[in-house]
Amino acid sequence: MTAEKEVEALERQRFEAQVKKNYAVLEKVLGNDLVYIHGDGYENTKAEYIQSIRDGKSQYGSIEIDALNVRSYNDDKTAVVNGTIRITSPPKLDGSTSVARIKYVVVQIKDKKKGWQVVLWQAQKQAS
């Protein structure tokens, strides 16, 4: 499998893990030195981001991918991903949800022991 296909599959797996609160997957695919920049500019470390999901500060009802582009560099040891996603919030008590359109950039590096690791996420909310 090419680096591009590996990273694309991992991006999809990571989004699913965020929705399903699969902390084992998140621990595996997020690098220890992760810089996670939310659409509002707030920044987290790996530990802070995972804790924000546990605490309900970062909530995902669903994450739909509208566009996903992966480019590999450095002999397939570095990948730059950019795309557009739609994040739907979990239903509120009245059943309503909200949708955020996000453009994002991800940098992944291939660690010899851990495999692909997300080391940078930067998101920007788009106008509805």
Side-chain angles (χ1 to χ4, degrees):
M1 186 182 303
T2 66
E4 288 89 351
K5 293 291 182 198
E6 284 179 25
V7 170
E8 180 179 340
L10 285 168
E11 282 292 287
R12 294 179 186 281
Q13 180 184 16
R14 180 173 54 86
F15 288 144
E16 182 180 333
Q18 287 172 246
V19 171
K20 294 184 175 179
K21 300 180 182 179
N22 186 334
Y23 301 114
V25 169
L26 294 173
E27 285 286 348
K28 180 181 176 195
V29 301
L30 300 178
N32 289 334
D33 60 347
L34 172 70
V35 174
Y36 193 102
I37 304 170
H38 296 267
D40 60 5
Y42 190 75
E43 187 176 313
N44 287 141
T45 64
K46 174 181 177 175
E48 290 168 343
Y49 177 63
I50 291 173
Q51 190 62 47
S52 78
I53 296 173
R54 289 186 197 278
D55 293 344
K57 292 177 186 165
S58 295
Q59 294 187 15
Y60 308 97
S62 68
I63 299 175
E64 300 294 325
I65 298 170
D66 291 331
L68 178 61
N69 181 43
V70 180
R71 293 168 288 155
S72 67
Y73 300 95
N74 192 21
D75 296 325
D76 291 341
K77 294 182 184 90
T78 305
V80 176
V81 183
N82 66 291
T84 307
I85 57 174
R86 283 174 285 130
I87 299 173
T88 302
S89 68
K92 296 179 182 151
L93 292 176
D94 65 3
S96 67
T97 60
S98 62
V99 177
R101 290 178 56 244
I102 304 285
K103 284 189 179 182
Y104 71 94
V105 175
V106 169
V107 176
Q108 292 200 26
I109 55 141
K110 191 163 191 178
D111 182 276
K112 287 180 183 176
K113 294 179 182 170
K114 298 178 183 178
W116 287 102
Q117 301 275 287
V118 175
V119 295
L120 175 67
W121 162 275
Q122 182 159 4
Q124 182 179 37
K125 287 184 181 176
Q126 302 298 296
S128 302

